[in-house]
Amino acid sequence: MGLFDRFSRGSRPRMRRPARDAARTGSTTVRASSRADEEYLEGFVTARHGVEGFVEPRTAVSDVTLLLVAHDGEWTRRRVPSVDWAHKFCNKHQVPSYDAAVVGIPQRMRDYIRRQKLQGGR
């Protein structure tokens, strides 16, 4: 085998085109949100106070997600049908909502994660 043989056209694996189906990205199947996700988010919002919502955009490996962060930094993340649905959900439950791609995640969530690691949780 010569030095440049592996770079020749014949030995290179062919790249597949992305799927046209919106539920698939390349070879990764993205699970859609479910009623169970919505029920869990509702339970989180009603059981805690000072909750804020952070809407995370669709990525190559996950669909649109809603990150809910309580006053103490406790958090949950679930898939949602769309960005618009996430903002409407937050408005319905009187929870302020933000675009996570713009504002990032709150420091209290990072602090909560650090506390959990120090205590041996999560």
Side-chain angles (χ1 to χ4, degrees):
M1 178 194 281
L3 179 61
F4 295 103
D5 285 347
R6 76 167 128 196
F7 299 114
S8 70
R9 188 168 190 85
S11 65
R12 188 172 16 164
R14 294 192 57 190
M15 296 287 283
R16 298 174 77 188
R17 265 194 265 159
R20 294 184 194 272
D21 182 5
R24 290 183 49 85
T25 306
S27 63
T28 304
T29 301
V30 177
R31 181 182 73 79
S33 63
S34 66
R35 179 69 184 142
D37 292 328
E38 182 180 349
E39 290 171 356
Y40 185 84
L41 291 171
E42 286 176 355
F44 188 89
V45 167
T46 57
R48 291 155 185 86
H49 65 359
V51 176
E52 292 179 316
F54 297 86
V55 182
E56 300 172 318
R58 186 174 198 271
T59 66
V61 293
S62 71
D63 212 346
V64 177
T65 55
L66 177 58
L67 172 68
L68 296 176
V69 183
H71 78 287
D72 62 351
E74 184 180 1
W75 60 279
T76 190
R77 177 183 285 125
R78 293 291 186 270
R79 290 177 180 90
V80 294
S82 69
V83 170
D84 187 49
W85 185 96
H87 286 293
K88 286 180 181 176
F89 174 87
C90 289
N91 290 340
K92 175 182 165 187
H93 295 284
Q94 298 177 343
V95 170
S97 62
Y98 310 97
D99 290 323
V102 176
V103 300
I105 61 170
Q107 183 62 46
R108 68 181 184 275
M109 179 181 158
R110 289 190 284 269
D111 294 341
Y112 179 84
I113 293 169
R114 190 176 65 246
R115 284 192 311 268
Q116 294 299 307
K117 285 183 180 179
L118 291 174
Q119 295 173 359
R122 269 197 195 194

